Every structure is written in C-alpha cells, then in structure tokens.
Amino acid sequence: MAVSYKPQLNYVDFRDLTEQIRFQSTEGKIWFGEQRMLLMHLSAMAAFRREIVNSMGVERAKGFFLRLGYQSGVRDAELARKLRPDRDEIDIFLAGPQLHSLKGMVKAVPLEIDIDQETGEFYGRVEWIDSFEVEICQTELGQMDESVCWSLLGYACAYTSSFMGREIIFREVSCRGCGDEKCIIEGKPAEQWEDAEEFKWYFKADPIIEELYDLQAQLSSLRSSLQQQQGQYYGIGQSSAYNKVCKMIDKAAQGKVSVLLLGETGVGKEVIARSVHLRSERAESPFIAVNCAAIPPDLIEAELFGVEKGAYTGANQSREGRFERANGGTIFLDEVIELTPRAQATLLRVLQEGELERVGDNRTRKVNVRVIAATNESLEQAVEDGRFRADLFYRLNVFPVKIPPLRDRLDDLPVLIEHFLKKFHSEYDKKTLGLSDKALDLCLHYHWPGNIRELENVIERGVILTDNNECISQEALFVAAPPSIETQPADCVDAGGNVTSGPSAAADSQHWSEHILGNQISLEEVEETLMRVAMERASQNVSKAARILGLTRPALAYRLKKSGILAES
Ligand SMILES: [Zn+2]
C-alpha cells in the first residue's frame, strides 16, 4: 500500500526520539539509545573539514563526508524501526529527518514523501534549513561551486536505502552553500538517476594510501632514472673495474688538484672529466673541453691562452683563450701530450701561479681553472724522449686515474649496448629488437681496440642496417664475422666495418694482398684507405697518424693534402 506524506499533515511528535538521549556526565558518556554519541564543536568540525578539503581536494573530501553521513544513516534507520514498531511507514520514515534535526545538523522539512514498500517505489523531497554544512562553508571555506551538504546527503541516502531495503539516492538539487536560495534534496531509486553509477563512486572508500604507494613507486622510478642520467656523467657501467674508477672520480672531484686521466682512445675520458667537474664545487661554472691534437701546433697557444691584436699576422682582434673562458671552472685538455713546448711552459705557469699572458701581451691575467688532462700515450715515455716537460708531468700527475679499456670491463657491455640502442633508436626514429644472441656473443668475445667509441659506431651501424622490429644480426654489426671468434680474441673492426684479424695474424700478408689484388684495388686506394684509418685512429691528429704509419709528420701531411683527405677534415 502506497503512503504519502504531505506537509500540511501533522508533523509527527518526536519525543520518543528525544527520550533516547542520556547524559551520563560523570562517566564521560552521552547515549542515544544504545549508541554512544559525541557533542562536539561545530567550529572544530569546520576546521577539520577545511583541512580535509585542502589536503585531499574537493572530490575526495566530498567522498569522505558523504561516507561519514552514510554511517549514521544506516544506524538511525535501524533505530527508527525499533522505536516505532507500530506506526505507519511514513511515521517510521520521518524518524530520519527528525533525528537529523535532533542532532542539531539541520532542520529537515519533508515536502513530499511517497513510499510503497510492496513495489519498492520511493520518492522524497525535503528542504534543509540551517544546514550545519552550509554554515561551515560560509565561515571556513567561502562559497563553493557546487552543493555542500555532503554528510547530510550521505545520511539521507543511507537512511532511506536501509529503510526501503533497496538503493535510494538523494541529490541536493539546490544548495545555499553554492548560492541557491534553499537547500532542497530529492530522492528516488538509484536506477531512476542517469548518473547513479558516477554518484555511487563517492560511497566507495577509495583509500588514498593506494595512490600514495603508486606515487611513491613513480617517485622511486623517477629517482632511479635521474640517478641513471647522472650516471651518464660517470659514463655507464657496473663492473667492478668501472666502479673503482667511479670511486676515484668521487675522491678527485672533492679536491682542487689537477687530475690526469689515462686510458686507451675511446674509453670515454671526456665523459669522466665532465663527471669530475659536475661533482666538484665548480659544477656551476664552465667546463671547457679542448682536444689539443685537433688544434694546429702554431695556433695552440693562442687558442688556449688568448691572443692580443697584432700578435701575429692574422691576429686582427684580441680575444680570450679557453683558459679565460673556463675561469672559475674546469678545463679538460685531451691529448695533452700534443702541446708545443711553449704551450707546455705557459700551462705550467697557470698551474703554479694561477696566471697567464695572452700571446703578444705583457699584461698578466689571473685565472682560476682546474685542469683535467688526458692522454692515451705514456707521459713518462714522452718525458724520457724529451717531448714533454718533466716538471709539467709532475704537476699533472698528482691524481692519475686509469680508465680501463672496454675489453677489461665486458660486464658493462650489455648496459652500454642498451644505452647506445636507446640513443640511436631515438636518433633514427626506429625501434629494433636489439642484438641477436649471436651478435651479442660476438660483441662479448671481441677485443674492442677502439673501446666505447667503437662500440657506439658499431651499434649505430647495426641500427641503421636493421629494420623496425627486427633483431640486429652480427652481419649488421660487423661486415664479415671472423670464422671463429674464440680462437682469435684480438680481432678488430676496420674503417669499413669489417672484422679483421689482429697483429697475431698480420703475418699472413699473403691473404690480404691476394684480397687486394683479386679485387683490383689500386695502390692509390690502398694508400688512401690506410691514411684514412690511421687518421681516424689518431683522432685526426696528423703527428700521431704519422707515427702509426711510420712516416714523418711532413711526409704524411703532404700525402694527405695530395689525396684531399686533409682538406676534408
Ligand atoms: Zn545545502
């Protein structure tokens, strides 16, 4: 049977409810029926609500307070049936709005209530006057964009749903908290609301802790990728040989002394030098890298220490050298062995006195630059040969760090390969599946005379030659794989990407001469290829390439010019 409440009907007396309240002051308890209650300050609740809104955001806070109201609603529905067992449905139902009023939360005035327990039909419309939540918002939070009577609404939903034994949803169709004239709620079965699912979301406890754990996980992954990025300043590696170097770098970075980096060509000395700089207190100041071998000997002084106008023909303008530019920071002198005797003398003065004179200048300038030098030749030997000043060597050699060749840290090969794959995938906008097992095996058994730089070139070649979603084969890495990599650990890759035998097999000149003649390669081409390879290995340093080829510098320079190689580079 359907029953309806119309406001003109008697407002049910609710003394039966008031009687349930017991103050057991001496015991520190207030009872409502069998439930313990609290009498708390509205202002405290207001501050609490503000804090929740500020720390969780409005949406989450709304959920909290809806669920807070929901908990009381469920209990009160149970109480209503207990207290008014013999009354009609409407009277029993009205215990809800009455309890709301009794507890001081709001004056709930039912405008229309239709209940049909048999069919489960329900419709309710209630006006809320003097909602405590509106008051809280007005004092603590200011006007909101949407309705604010969250816990009251949670209560109404829970109370009615429990009462009806089916899901009834109330919505606040207008609210004074957001500038409407009245707070009015309307309730009907969940399925009659279009956005019921969305609304029900508020009633699901949505532990923020999960989100915090998620964020924590994200944070730690960001942190580790940041550390990895910083690791790039170290270079990349985890082998014990490389870790030792990293420890040395950390120590070197703290001090002020010059650092001498030793190691074969291509081991990543500049990366290490930069790392020393970035870990030092000079990190915010410039880091200037100079490859001494790449600068013609007659220009090196001017390049490093600056030049005054008119110092020599062609010096049309005064300009500062790299040392002045690095002032306050760090200068990295790669291939320091290539410095001319005069440049060596000036460098010594910079190290000893912290001052220099530009070429063609008689003014002394103060500079504060930390020097990191590097060489892949023995400086001791150069001192013995009279090519390098002994006193400068001792100055530079205060903190020597030996960087191991790649073949002594093959454990690092997989991470290095991974690093370069990533780099070239992004550079060529491609995504290969990485190295085939065989290709990786080949890399792990290869001698890597050109070290990390060679590995980088090989991987770049592999990425270029391999299609998307395919594995990089050994053929893509190396033009021709050695027949048995195990028995020839000293193989190397030539300029064309061919794996060739190292010095042990070099005696077999029969083999390569036959190859040259058989392919009708001219003597000129052979010479040119040899010069190119030598120049590449010598990092374009003519003196060094000449030494590799057993020629004098002028002789090689002449041939390089003649063949057009020098002009190119
Ligand atoms: Zn409201």
Side-chain angles (χ1 to χ4, degrees), residues 337-389:
I337 205 165
E338 298 297 329
L339 290 180
T340 60
R342 283 176 57 106
Q344 289 181 30
T346 316
L347 175 57
L348 184 64
R349 186 170 165 205
V350 172
L351 290 173
Q352 279 174 339
E353 323 284 346
E355 58 185 35
L356 57 79
E357 274 161 32
R358 290 180 179 177
V359 178
D361 195 7
N362 44 27
R363 211 177 109 206
T364 302
R365 290 163 203 267
K366 283 273 166 204
V367 284
N368 168 18
V369 177
R370 181 187 212 176
V371 175
I372 301 175
T375 174
N376 49 36
E377 283 183 68
S378 159
L379 277 183
E380 281 113 318
Q381 187 60 47
V383 169
E384 247 174 62
D385 296 348
R387 284 193 289 135
F388 203 81
R389 290 179 73 119

Side-chain angles (χ1 to χ4, degrees), residues 134 149 172 175-176 183:
V134 170
C149 304
E172 198 173 8
C175 177
R176 284 177 51 232
C183 289

Side-chain angles (χ1 to χ4, degrees), residues 106 128 131 133-134 146-150 152 172 174-178 182-185:
V106 69
W128 280 336
S131 147
E133 290 185 290
V134 170
E146 54 172 322
S147 59
V148 303
C149 304
W150 300 334
L152 296 183
E172 198 173 8
S174 75
C175 177
R176 284 177 51 232
C178 58
K182 293 175 173 180
C183 289
I184 304 272
I185 57 165

Side-chain angles (χ1 to χ4, degrees), residues 436 438-440 442 472-482 485:
S436 73
K438 219 167 177 187
L440 180 63
L442 188 62
I472 298 175
S473 66
Q474 54 174 346
E475 288 79 17
L477 289 184
F478 305 102
V479 168
I485 46 182

Side-chain angles (χ1 to χ4, degrees), residues 335 338 376-377 537-539 541-548:
E335 315 261 17
E338 298 297 329
N376 49 36
E377 283 183 68
R537 288 209 185 151
S539 312
N541 172 2
V542 179
S543 312
K544 215 152 117 202
R547 281 201 288 282
I548 294 172

Side-chain angles (χ1 to χ4, degrees), residues 463-506:
V463 169
I464 292 172
L465 291 182
T466 307
D467 287 331
N468 274 324
N469 293 316
E470 278 182 21
C471 278
I472 298 175
S473 66
Q474 54 174 346
E475 288 79 17
L477 289 184
F478 305 102
V479 168
S484 165
I485 46 182
E486 285 83 5
T487 54
Q488 297 181 357
D491 297 325
C492 50
V493 174
D494 68 17
N498 296 289
V499 174
T500 57
S501 302
S504 60

Side-chain angles (χ1 to χ4, degrees), residues 239-451:
S239 64
S240 67
Y242 203 61
N243 278 337
K244 249 182 238 165
V245 172
C246 295
K247 281 201 188 106
M248 291 286 282
I249 293 167
D250 277 339
K251 280 193 192 126
Q254 301 314 316
K256 290 183 167 62
V257 294
S258 302
V259 177
L260 181 62
L261 302 178
L262 304 165
E264 294 176 10
T265 182
V267 290
K269 290 190 279 270
E270 185 173 335
V271 174
I272 300 286
R274 197 176 286 276
S275 161
V276 173
H277 172 70
L278 287 171
R279 271 147 214 277
S280 75
E281 51 193 20
R282 295 170 178 264
E284 301 295 318
S285 302
F287 173 85
I288 305 279
V290 183
N291 183 354
C292 302
I295 301 167
D298 42 347
L299 292 182
I300 191 124
E301 262 185 286
E303 196 56 45
L304 289 179
F305 307 111
V307 64
E308 277 305 294
K309 188 176 170 181
Y312 53 82
T313 341
N316 302 324
Q317 233 178 335
S318 300
R319 64 184 157 88
E320 58 178 16
R322 311 261 181 121
F323 268 89
E324 282 176 68
R325 265 186 269 160
N327 201 12
T330 306
I331 197 163
F332 172 56
L333 300 174
D334 201 2
E335 315 261 17
V336 71
I337 205 165
E338 298 297 329
L339 290 180
T340 60
R342 283 176 57 106
Q344 289 181 30
T346 316
L347 175 57
L348 184 64
R349 186 170 165 205
V350 172
L351 290 173
Q352 279 174 339
E353 323 284 346
E355 58 185 35
L356 57 79
E357 274 161 32
R358 290 180 179 177
V359 178
D361 195 7
N362 44 27
R363 211 177 109 206
T364 302
R365 290 163 203 267
K366 283 273 166 204
V367 284
N368 168 18
V369 177
R370 181 187 212 176
V371 175
I372 301 175
T375 174
N376 49 36
E377 283 183 68
S378 159
L379 277 183
E380 281 113 318
Q381 187 60 47
V383 169
E384 247 174 62
D385 296 348
R387 284 193 289 135
F388 203 81
R389 290 179 73 119
D391 44 8
L392 179 57
F393 167 66
Y394 295 126
R395 273 277 163 182
L396 293 176
N397 197 35
V398 183
F399 202 110
V401 178
K402 172 117 176 55
I403 303 164
L406 184 52
R407 65 184 161 281
D408 288 350
R409 39 180 290 227
L410 287 174
D411 286 352
D412 291 334
L413 207 65
V415 282
L416 285 164
I417 289 172
E418 203 49 48
H419 169 71
F420 289 128
L421 279 174
K422 227 187 244 172
K423 174 181 168 186
F424 292 119
H425 281 160
S426 106
E427 231 165 80
Y428 291 99
D429 195 19
K430 242 182 165 178
K431 186 108 181 76
T432 71
L433 296 180
L435 266 56
S436 73
D437 292 345
K438 219 167 177 187
L440 180 63
D441 194 53
L442 188 62
C443 287
L444 285 169
H445 287 91
Y446 178 58
H447 188 60
W448 298 109
N451 291 295

